[in-house]
Every structure is written in structure tokens, then in C-alpha cells.
Amino acid sequence: MGVFMDGPSDASPRIRRAAWLVWIVLAVVISLVVLLEKKERSVTPNYRAAVKHWFSGEPLYNSKGSGFIYMPQAALVFAPWGLLPKPIGEVLWRWTILGVLAAGVYQFTRLASFDDRWFLINSIASAATAAGCAHNGQSTLIITGLMLLATVDICEKRWWRAAVLLALSFAFKPVAIVLILLAAAIYPAMLWRLAIAMLFVAVSPFLTQSPDYVISQFVAFYQNSQVAFSDGETGYWAQLFGMLKVAGLDLPSPVQQMGRLFCAGLSLV
């Protein structure tokens, strides 16, 4: 294929359209599968139920470490889709998560090169690996896109927008805390902005429900997370220690924790 130039080629607009077409085709195919499949295979019922329970003042968690396992804020940020009629909400949610991911891939690619052949290659690779998550409706895709966009903003010193995007990704899934901590540690300009953005995320549930209910759900989230974490260490889940367990190497919990801490420190270094 040769070495790509930094600048756009004469065929760049056509290649860029092809790259966007990859995402559009994936979104259309996923939407059709979701609408036509007889047996629902998705995590969005858990999100939709959480939205309903939240605004009804009902418990979000089942204390079994399953179902809705994210912070109460996740119910709030999913509300724009969860309050829609189910077929419309399901389709729009998948178009949203794929759209945000595609935008993140596009902007992140342009940090390295304006040659749209790279965008096409990255789109094909990213769309292929995202198809399963898109089918299941997992918010992993939207937080990935938000973190990619935030990374671009950090590189271009758009500190406030980066802080807002990272805080929003955290509201969807707490796993975004890794990039948030790295950004705060590496870029002093991000530290206080992230503190303000994260504070708003922390208090946002109190704007839509009574304090007693909100506090009770945070307590329930912590208890439910303990159960989910325990199940995550003993089950064959899609993470490093789960793969090692499949291979016959079942590491005890303290060793797993030490491994995570080591990797965290290595990432910071």
C-alpha cells in the first residue's frame, strides 16, 4: 500500500465518503437486525428499566450483581432514548453510539494524518470490532467515542470541552475513570476543570429526585457492585484474568488486584 502522505490526496473526498458509508451500512444492518430478530439480544432493556424506575422512585438494583449495574447517572444520561417508544429508542440509540464512535475515529485519525485512506482503514477495523457491541446496544461504544474526542481536544488544548466529554463518558460507565485520572495527572490544566465537571456529574441525580431516594440508590449501587465485582473475579468474563482462567490459570483475588495496580502505574509512567 505504500507510505501515506500527511496531506489529503486527490481522491480524498471519495475515500472519506467511503469511510462514512462503512458506518452508515453498519448502522442500517444493526438496526434491521434489532427490529427483525425474534429473540432480543441486548442490554438496553436494563437501561430502559432503570430510566423507568428512576423517575418512578423505584429501586434500580436487584442486589444480585446483574441487570442494571451502573451508577444512577447512567439512567439519567440514557433517558433521552429510554423514554422514547421502544423501537424508535432502540434504533436511535444504536445510531447515536455508532455516530459518536465514528466521529471519534475520524477526529482521532486526523491527529496523525489528513490522508483519508487512514480514516477508511480505521473505520473498517473499528466498525468490524464494534458490530457486536452495537447489536447489544452497549454504552461501551459511546464512551469510546467520547474519550477519543476528548483526547483530540486535550491535544489541541480545548480543556473545557475535553473535561465535559470525559465527565459525560464517566456518567455512562465508570470505566472512563482511567482516562480521567490519567488526564488529570498529566495535564495540570485539566485537573480543576475535571473536578468541576465531575462534581456536576455527582450532584446531577439530586436535580431530578429526592435526596433520600438518591442516597439510597448510591448505597444500593455500592452493594450491588460488590456482588458484581465478586462474580467478575470468579466467572469467565472477557478480560485478562478471565482469559487466563480459561487457559487453566486461576489467579487469586489479591494477585489480580496487584496486577491491576501494576498496570495502572505502568500506564501512568
Side-chain angles (χ1 to χ4, degrees):
M1 189 173 294
V3 179
F4 292 173
M5 300 178 294
D6 288 334
S9 64
D10 293 338
S12 190
R14 186 171 67 252
I15 295 172
R16 192 182 313 126
R17 287 194 293 268
W20 287 116
L21 184 61
V22 169
W23 293 103
I24 293 172
V25 169
L26 176 61
V28 170
V29 171
I30 292 296
S31 298
L32 290 175
V33 170
V34 168
L35 291 174
L36 296 177
E37 65 182 354
K38 295 181 180 179
K39 184 178 180 181
E40 188 173 34
R41 182 185 151 195
S42 172
V43 297
T44 53
N46 295 325
Y47 300 157
R48 297 177 68 86
V51 173
K52 177 184 176 182
H53 294 328
W54 178 264
F55 288 106
S56 298
E58 300 170 349
L60 297 178
Y61 308 98
N62 59 18
S63 301
K64 299 178 181 178
S66 59
F68 183 75
I69 59 174
Y70 307 115
M71 298 186 304
Q73 286 89 336
L76 289 179
V77 292
F78 186 74
W81 299 273
L83 295 175
L84 292 172
K86 184 177 179 180
I88 298 175
E90 293 287 329
V91 170
L92 288 181
W93 170 244
R94 283 161 176 84
W95 277 79
T96 301
I97 61 178
L98 286 172
V100 173
L101 178 61
V105 170
Y106 176 70
Q107 294 292 341
F108 191 74
T109 300
R110 293 212 149 197
L111 281 179
S113 174
F114 281 87
D115 191 313
D116 285 310
R117 285 174 288 185
W118 284 118
F119 177 43
L120 178 59
I121 292 172
N122 288 341
S123 291
I124 294 172
S126 300
T129 54
C133 282
H135 180 203
N136 295 336
Q138 293 177 340
S139 57
T140 301
L141 296 189
I142 196 169
I143 70 167
T144 302
L146 291 170
M147 289 191 293
L148 286 172
L149 292 170
T151 300
V152 174
D153 284 338
I154 289 173
C155 291
E156 298 180 353
K157 298 183 179 181
R158 292 191 289 263
W159 309 118
W160 268 116
R161 193 163 74 178
V164 171
L165 291 174
L166 287 175
L168 181 59
S169 65
F170 178 81
F172 275 107
K173 268 191 177 183
V175 293
I177 192 64
V178 176
L179 184 56
I180 291 171
L181 292 176
L182 285 173
I186 297 171
Y187 299 95
M190 287 291 296
L191 181 58
W192 65 273
R193 290 176 172 86
L194 278 170
I196 294 174
M198 293 294 285
L199 178 62
F200 179 78
V201 169
V203 302
S204 59
F206 292 93
L207 303 177
T208 60
Q209 271 291 2
S210 65
D212 290 343
Y213 172 74
V214 174
I215 292 172
S216 70
Q217 294 313 295
F218 274 119
V219 172
F221 164 71
Y222 175 76
Q223 295 170 342
N224 197 64
S225 296
Q226 294 295 101
V227 178
F229 184 77
S230 177
D231 290 343
E233 289 196 325
T234 58
Y236 295 88
W237 302 104
Q239 41 100 348
L240 174 61
F241 298 111
M243 291 189 292
L244 291 176
K245 188 173 182 179
V246 171
L249 184 59
D250 189 4
L251 298 177
S253 178
V255 175
Q256 293 187 32
Q257 292 288 18
M258 289 177 61
R260 293 188 182 97
L261 290 173
F262 173 77
C263 290
L266 189 62
S267 298
L268 178 60
V269 171

